[in-house]
């Protein structure tokens, strides 16, 4: 199965049953994006079990992605935590398993995903390279627990180093990064196209956090709204279509719990003109809503 290009994001989803049921049985979604860090894989798994119980959707009809978190980069962790994720999601394989960030946090007795020192700084462990654990990710493919492996929040330089690292036998299927109107990822997008990799985009709608961050609301962008009224579509539809149309190797992961918006976000059967594409490309600000550095993550040279 080739990766379906629109996925339902599940971060901060709260009650998972209704949105997942709606997406998979009514709104034609074929892809659910999860992660250990979201701390709701059990709820997502319960929702998936209810969907499969309807008989309308089979496991093999959909694509399920999960990600391993930064404090689980130690020997034996990939197998252990992939199995935990499978158990929570109540499935026997993942279509895609990602390394969530290119950095390793300390492992604490209470298995804290965000271990902090007395100054509140995140405690990293620079002696563990995520490339050392890549071999364990490859092992999961061999064991049939996952179909594909990939990375998230990696730069072109990191991907290039993976390309030439003798430890790496299977190159990443994709890289998942922030991707939206204000963070268009042109260089990484071109790189992925060139290498035949997928670039998956999180926060494609600018996330719900924009108001708190003091950053502009992407969906209120005047150019986006002008194009949306020309086409008789919503700004979110135009934005998602733009992100998919400018490269054949992109995937978008919009999250919504609202049935109408879930359906709209996957109703993208229209085209933008070249002129509309150029105007939207000119909206680039190279601005992140989700910034690892401002969350206190640090990326060592040998990650
Ligand atoms: P809601 O769940 O109420 O629909 P992102 O995927 O970029 O993180 O954005 C998720 C946020 O965007 C959520 O707050 C979600 O709220 C909102 N959202 C999702 N789809 C749409 C849409 N079509 N129009 C406006 N807001 C949306």
């Amino acid at each position: 199965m080739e990766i379906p290009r629109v996925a339902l994001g599940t971060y901060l989803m709260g009650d998972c049953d209704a949105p997942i049921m709606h997406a998979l049985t009514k709104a034609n979604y074929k892809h659910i994006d999860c992660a250990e860090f979201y701390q709701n894989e059990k709820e997502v798994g319960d929702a998936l079990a209810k969907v499969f119980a309807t008989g309308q959707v089979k496991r093999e009809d959909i694509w399920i992605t999960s990600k391993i978190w930064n404090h689980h980069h130690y020997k034996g962790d990939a197998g252990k935590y992939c199995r935990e994720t499978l158990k929570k999601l109540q499935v026997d394989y993942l279509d895609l398993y990602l390394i969530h960030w290119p950095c390793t946090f300390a492992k604490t007795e209470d298995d804290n995903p965000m271990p902090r020192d007395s100054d509140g700084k995140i405690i990293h462990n620079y002696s563990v390279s995520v490339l050392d654990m890549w071999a364990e990710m490859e092992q999961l493919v061999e064991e049939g627990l996952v179909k594909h492996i990939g990375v998230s929040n990696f730069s072109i330089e990191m991907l290039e180093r993976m390309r030439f690292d003798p430890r790496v036998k299977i190159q990443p299927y994709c890289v998942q990064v922030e991707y939206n109107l204000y963070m268009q990822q042109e260089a990484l997008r071109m790189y992925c196209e060139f290498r035949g990799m997928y670039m998956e985009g999180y926060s494609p709608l600018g996330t719900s956090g924009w108001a708190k961050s003091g950053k502009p609301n992407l969906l209120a962008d005047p150019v986006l709204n002008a194009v949306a009224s020309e086409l008789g579509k919503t700004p979110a539809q135009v934005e998602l279509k733009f992100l998919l149309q400018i490269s054949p190797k992109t995937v978008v992961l919009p999250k919504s719990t609202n049935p109408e918006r879930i359906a709209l976000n996957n109703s993208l059967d229209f085209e933008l003109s070249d002129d509309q594409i150029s105007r939207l490309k000119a909206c680039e600000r190279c601005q992140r809503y989700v910034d690892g550095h401002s969350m206190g993550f640090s990326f060592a040279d040998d990650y």
Side-chain angles (χ1 to χ4, degrees), residues 169-181:
K169 305 285 183 287
I170 302 175
Q171 288 294 321
Y173 180 82
C174 71
V175 55
Q176 186 179 121
V177 290
E178 177 168 348
Y179 178 42
N180 53 49
L181 189 68

Side-chain angles (χ1 to χ4, degrees), residues 3-8 31-34 63-67 96-99 149-153 173-180 183 185 188-189 192 197-204 243-244 249-254:
I3 189 167
R5 295 186 65 203
V6 179
L8 184 69
H31 183 169
I32 305 284
D33 183 79
C34 317
W63 179 287
I64 303 177
T65 299
S66 184
K67 318 180 189 88
L96 178 63
Y97 198 39
L98 305 177
I99 295 181
I149 49 177
V151 294
S152 182
N153 298 300
Y173 180 82
C174 71
V175 55
Q176 186 179 121
V177 290
E178 177 168 348
Y179 178 42
N180 53 49
M183 189 69 201
Q185 300 280 9
L188 183 61
R189 197 159 30 82
C192 287
M197 284 170 66
Y198 278 96
M199 190 186 88
E200 292 191 286
Y202 67 71
S203 303
L243 300 174
L244 294 174
K249 297 300 267 187
T250 51
V251 173
V252 289
L253 317 165

